[in-house]
């Protein structure tokens, strides 16, 4: 006989110790009896038979699922209608002037507003789906007497862990949502984000994709953008400084530049496609012992200031040469 006693085997639960179908039915019946609005009413339709609470609870679960799906579809349709109405707006550039370019700009602005509205609508639809379906499933689990407290606790702990691990991602998403809501920039805009300057090619809730003048593509996380300079929103301004000799006649130079401004405004191609209003001559911008600097400024349509400025330089140079007035380098 061995001196060491063998350890007693761990008890294995038998089938008799597991909850029986009758016990589960009893739990469901107790839940059904507490629901005097729907489940108990359905059970009464079956003359309160022994199986009535179970059948009534199953019908209640089915109705909850159907109700959740219906509510989700209604909310998604409401979001779609709000997005469609938000995307429609009246002409904006027509308040400046009439013309084919104004209509083209209005079309671009509407398309930009439509893209922004659809992006926000997609985000709202995802959030609505998660909230409604999640609430529906938790209600069904509670109806089936499945304890949801441990599940909620686990989800809460998991959410805290994910929140700590994905702080930058959440920051990018929140910044992207506010950027879209405030319409800070959109596809096709020329912006300065500090880290890069270029044309926006794509905007998502997480990143913004830019292409600079060298063709280099930049991917910038929305959460890292602290300031944005948009050169394509509303209108832009082109200007050029004209340095002439100190001995030049101020009136003659000013009249010459005003003539250039009237000439480019009279050009149908520029007036209809690039300019918002007639260019202005602001007079002497700088004065030194050897140079007079005149400034010529023009308000242009978005992202057209560079082309207008180039045309102004050509016309001013030709006008000065014709008047035998030399431009001098500035210090």
């Amino acid at each position: 006989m061995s001196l060491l006693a063998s350890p007693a085997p761990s008890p294995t639960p038998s089938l008799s110790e597991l909850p029986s179908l009758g016990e589960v039915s009893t739990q469901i019946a107790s839940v059904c009896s507490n629901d005097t609005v729907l489940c108990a009413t359905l059970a009464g339709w079956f003359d309160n038979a022994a199986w009535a609470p179970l059948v009534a609870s199953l019908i209640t679960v089915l109705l909850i699922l159907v109700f959740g799906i219906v509510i989700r579809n209604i909310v998604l349709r409401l979001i779609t209608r709000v997005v469609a109405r938000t995307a429609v707006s009246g002409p904006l550039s027509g308040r400046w002037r009439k013309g084919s370019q104004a209509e083209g700009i209005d079309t671009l602005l509407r398309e930009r507003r439509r893209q922004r509205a659809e992006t926000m609508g997609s985000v709202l639809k995802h959030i609505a789906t998660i909230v409604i379906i999640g609430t529906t499933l938790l209600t069904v689990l509670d109806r089936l007497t499945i304890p949801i407290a441990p599940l909620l606790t686990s989800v809460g702990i998991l959410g805290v862990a994910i929140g700590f691990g994905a702080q930058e991602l959440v920051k990018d998403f929140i910044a992207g949502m506010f950027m879209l809501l405030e319409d800070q920039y959109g596809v096709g805009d020329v912006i300065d984000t500090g880290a890069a300057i270029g044309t926006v090619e794509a905007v998502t809730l997480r990143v913004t994709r830019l292409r600079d003048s060298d063709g280099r593509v930049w991917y910038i996380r929305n959460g890292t953008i602290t300031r944005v300079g948009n050169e394509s929103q509303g209108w832009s301004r082109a200007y050029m400084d004209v340095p002439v000799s100190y001995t030049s006649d101020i009136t003659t130079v000013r009249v010459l530049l005003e003539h250039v401004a009237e000439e480019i405004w009279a050009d149908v191609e520029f007036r209809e496609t690039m300019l918002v209003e007639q260019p202005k001559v602001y007079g002497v911008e700088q004065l030194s012992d050897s140079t007079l600097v005149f400034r010529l400024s023009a308000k242009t349509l978005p992202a057209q200031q560079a082309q207008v400025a180039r045309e102004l330089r050509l016309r001013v140079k030709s006008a000065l040469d014709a008047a035998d007035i030399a431009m001098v380098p500035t210090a």
Side-chain angles (χ1 to χ4, degrees):
M1 186 175 183
S2 175
L3 296 178
L4 297 175
S6 59
S10 58
T12 303
S14 60
L15 293 177
S16 59
E17 296 177 353
L18 296 176
S20 62
L21 181 59
E23 293 176 350
V24 174
S25 300
T26 302
Q27 294 177 359
I28 294 179
S30 63
V31 174
C32 183
S33 62
N34 294 329
D35 184 2
T36 59
V37 177
L38 183 60
C39 189
T41 303
L42 293 174
W45 290 357
F46 301 105
D47 297 330
N48 293 320
W51 46 268
L54 179 60
V55 175
S57 293
L58 294 179
I59 296 176
T60 303
V61 168
L62 181 60
L63 291 177
I64 292 173
L65 291 175
V66 172
F67 183 74
I69 294 174
V70 170
I71 291 297
R72 173 183 173 273
N73 291 337
I74 292 176
V75 172
L76 294 187
R77 288 191 177 185
L78 288 176
I79 293 175
T80 301
R81 290 186 178 182
V82 171
V83 168
R85 291 183 179 181
T86 305
V88 177
S89 63
L92 297 178
S93 60
R95 61 188 175 184
W96 292 328
R97 69 191 203 295
K98 303 296 183 181
S100 59
Q101 183 63 16
E103 296 176 357
I105 292 300
D106 290 337
T107 303
L108 293 177
L109 292 176
R110 292 192 191 98
E111 179 65 18
R112 172 174 171 175
R113 184 174 286 104
R114 183 190 64 80
Q115 293 176 352
R116 182 180 56 150
E118 288 182 354
T119 303
M120 293 305 303
S122 177
V123 174
L124 293 177
K125 286 180 180 180
H126 285 298
I127 295 176
T129 299
I130 293 174
V131 172
I132 295 174
I133 298 301
T135 303
T136 302
L137 293 178
L138 290 177
T139 305
V140 169
L141 293 177
D142 183 64
R143 177 65 58 178
L144 297 176
T145 69
I146 299 177
I148 62 175
L151 177 62
L152 293 177
T153 303
S154 301
V155 171
I157 296 175
L158 181 62
V160 172
I162 294 177
F164 277 111
Q167 293 183 39
E168 296 297 331
L169 182 62
V170 174
K171 180 180 178 181
D172 294 339
F173 271 76
I174 294 176
M177 291 183 63
F178 277 103
M179 180 271 297
L180 291 172
L181 284 173
E182 297 170 357
D183 192 22
Q184 297 177 9
Y185 55 84
V187 176
D189 287 351
V190 179
I191 64 172
D192 179 1
T193 63
I197 302 175
T199 303
V200 179
E201 291 191 339
V203 179
T204 65
L205 287 179
R206 195 180 71 86
V207 297
T208 296
R209 189 174 78 228
L210 300 180
R211 186 177 296 273
D212 61 16
S213 57
D214 296 329
R216 187 182 297 108
V217 178
W218 295 80
Y219 294 89
I220 306 174
R221 289 182 19 236
N222 294 329
T224 62
I225 300 177
T226 58
R227 56 124 174 130
V228 176
N230 195 330
E231 299 181 8
S232 307
Q233 204 167 50
W235 54 270
S236 300
R237 186 179 296 278
Y239 70 92
M240 68 168 297
D241 291 335
V242 183
V244 296
S245 173
Y246 184 81
T247 58
S248 300
D249 184 69
I250 294 178
T251 303
T252 302
V253 176
R254 184 182 181 91
V255 171
L256 187 65
L257 296 178
E258 289 177 349
H259 177 71
V260 171
E262 294 174 357
E263 184 182 48
I264 194 173
W265 178 250
D267 192 325
V268 178
E269 179 183 356
F270 283 91
R271 186 176 70 250
E272 293 292 334
T273 61
M274 299 180 190
L275 293 173
V276 173
E277 60 185 24
Q278 181 175 337
K280 297 179 180 180
V281 179
Y282 290 108
V284 179
E285 184 71 17
Q286 297 179 20
L287 177 65
S288 68
D289 57 351
S290 60
T291 307
L292 295 174
V293 178
F294 290 80
R295 172 158 294 186
L296 183 63
S297 176
K299 184 181 289 188
T300 71
L301 292 175
Q304 298 295 330
Q305 68 272 21
Q307 188 169 351
V308 173
R310 285 191 290 267
E311 184 65 21
L312 285 175
R313 295 188 191 102
L314 290 175
R315 293 176 183 254
V316 168
K317 176 65 168 59
S318 300
L320 292 177
D321 290 344
D324 198 20
I325 299 176
M327 298 179 64
V328 297
T330 59

